[in-house]
Amino acid sequence: MEKKSVMKKITGSREALLAIVLIVLFVIITAINPSFLTPKSLMDMLKNNAVTMVMSLGMLCVMLVGGIDISIMSTLALSGMSIGMLLKYGHITSTLLAFIIAMAIGIACGLVVGLVISRANVPPIIATMGFMYIYRAMGYLVSHGGEWASAAALGDFKNFATSTFLGINKVIWVIIICYVVFFFFMKWTRTGRRIYAVGSNASAAQVSGINAKNINLLVYVIMGVLTAIAGLIVTTRLGSGQPSAGLNFEMDCITASVVGGTSMSGGRGKVMGTVVGVLLLTVLTNGMTLVGMNTYWQQVLKGVIIVVSVLADTRGAYSARTAHPFQRNGAPFRFKLSKAQQVD
């Protein structure tokens, strides 16, 4: 009976099923190439996919409230290029200051996007599409029309991606810190719970005293901060600041979040699911490259994964509504009468 209960828990948890698939992929790819599972290979894999891993956390927040952000790679390019030019012309030299300025740029970008969406009620896909072009163009303007900040111009900052702390690459430390902070933030803080509440039922959340507009604004600011951090990771990893950085890679973060169990309609998604989703796509991509699969077929497979994940999410949401017609995204409507409305 206990075994049956354990099996039911495993099959009922998307994160557990994804973890099993991830383990199976590790076993298969390691059987093909034993060097795949070495510590160096794993560290390189994490470092090379750090951008997706960090930005997927922001996409989790945005999608939890039923939003989406396709301007992220333009924000990434703008923040990375801005820091690259500041370093190139000697306006700053400190790596810490570079991160602070980049995050300030990310906050500003996210704030503007969030205000347009939360206050002007512009659909997220339309608003972020517009800012995708605006921020990308601003990146080129900052670069004086396409000028690069080369490795020599970046000074000591370019060494951030190759240096270690306690034997672990500093880029991986950034990933670890982001996930630890977000796990705590989403699970144990009042604001984290409010993000889930707004995504589950914005009207009910508003009635219960939560400012849904502010929460919608906040998630885009969070997305901006994480995107700026990712922009610096790209700059230091490539050893150059480029206004074209991250072009056409917006879907990777969305794919990782959806595969990890984040609902497109909001209200459902976990940090653990996101990290497993990112790792699954990372291992799958590396595995496809290892067996020599054509790049275009890799894109086809990613597209199929997105469609299947969305279909699974839609089916799960439909089943929840059928079982509990007075719920949205698994969250019940809660009505509370005031003392004046209560009748003996």
Side-chain angles (χ1 to χ4, degrees):
M1 188 73 177
E2 192 172 337
K3 287 184 179 179
K4 201 170 183 181
S5 176
V6 171
M7 282 302 296
K8 190 174 180 181
K9 286 181 180 179
I10 293 174
T11 54
S13 169
R14 182 160 180 162
E15 291 81 11
L17 289 173
L18 287 173
I20 292 170
V21 173
L22 182 62
I23 293 169
V24 171
L25 276 175
F26 265 111
V27 171
I28 293 172
I29 297 172
T30 304
I32 297 172
N33 188 343
S35 64
F36 178 78
L37 206 56
T38 61
K40 183 182 183 306
S41 177
L42 293 175
M43 290 295 181
D44 287 342
M45 183 175 67
L46 289 174
K47 186 174 74 172
N48 294 336
N49 292 275
V51 171
T52 305
M53 296 193 76
V54 170
M55 292 176 66
S56 293
L57 285 171
M59 192 59 70
L60 166 67
C61 286
V62 170
M63 293 177 69
L64 278 173
V65 297
I68 198 164
D69 192 346
I70 60 173
S71 69
I72 49 176
M73 289 303 169
S74 297
T75 304
L76 176 147
L78 174 58
S79 58
M81 194 67 240
S82 298
I83 296 303
M85 297 304 280
L86 287 172
L87 290 165
K88 179 177 181 177
Y89 290 105
H91 296 300
I92 61 172
T93 55
S94 167
T95 298
L96 177 60
L97 184 58
F99 270 93
I100 293 171
I101 294 173
M103 286 190 288
I105 293 170
I107 289 171
C109 291
L111 184 64
V112 174
V113 173
L115 285 171
V116 170
I117 292 170
S118 64
R119 265 53 180 187
N121 296 318
V122 177
I125 186 69
I126 302 299
T128 57
M129 185 184 297
F131 283 106
M132 176 179 69
Y133 291 105
I134 294 170
Y135 292 154
R136 180 67 66 178
M138 288 175 67
Y140 277 97
L141 289 171
V142 167
S143 69
H144 303 151
E147 185 181 329
W148 284 21
S150 64
L154 296 179
D156 292 337
F157 178 74
K158 67 178 180 296
N159 300 322
F160 183 82
T162 56
S163 57
T164 61
F165 177 71
L166 299 178
I168 299 175
N169 187 278
K170 287 183 178 178
V171 171
I172 297 175
W173 275 114
V174 172
I175 298 172
I176 293 171
I177 291 169
C178 287
Y179 272 87
V180 169
V181 169
F182 259 78
F183 183 79
F184 176 82
F185 172 71
M186 297 304 294
K187 194 172 181 66
W188 284 300
T189 68
R190 181 178 297 179
T191 304
R193 303 317 300 171
R194 285 179 175 178
I195 291 173
Y196 280 102
V198 170
S200 295
N201 193 308
S203 299
Q206 192 75 39
V207 169
S208 65
I210 298 173
N211 191 320
K213 288 186 176 182
N214 283 350
I215 293 296
N216 273 282
L217 174 61
L218 175 65
V219 296
Y220 286 97
V221 171
I222 291 171
M223 182 79 256
V225 172
L226 291 172
T227 301
I229 292 172
L232 290 191
I233 291 174
V234 169
T235 302
T236 183
R237 192 167 62 82
L238 297 179
S240 64
Q242 305 173 21
S244 60
L247 195 63
N248 299 324
F249 281 94
E250 291 86 359
M251 289 306 298
D252 284 3
C253 300
I254 298 172
T255 304
S257 296
V258 172
V259 170
T262 305
S263 173
M264 294 290 289
S265 57
R268 292 202 311 275
K270 296 179 180 178
V271 173
M272 287 306 299
T274 300
V275 69
V276 175
V278 174
L279 289 174
L280 185 62
L281 287 176
T282 299
V283 172
L284 187 62
T285 302
N286 284 16
M288 290 187 294
T289 304
L290 189 65
V291 298
M293 181 182 286
N294 186 286
T295 304
Y296 300 114
W297 281 111
Q298 290 185 28
Q299 297 299 320
V300 169
L301 185 57
K302 280 186 179 180
V304 170
I305 290 172
I306 293 173
V307 173
V308 171
S309 298
V310 172
L311 286 174
D313 171 59
T314 305
R315 184 177 177 183
Y318 175 78
S319 299
R321 285 196 303 269
T322 304
H324 305 283
F326 293 104
Q327 292 185 3
R328 180 176 181 265
N329 297 333
F333 290 99
R334 301 188 185 277
F335 298 96
K336 186 177 180 181
L337 295 177
S338 66
K339 289 184 178 180
Q341 291 172 314
Q342 291 175 1
V343 180
D344 295 331

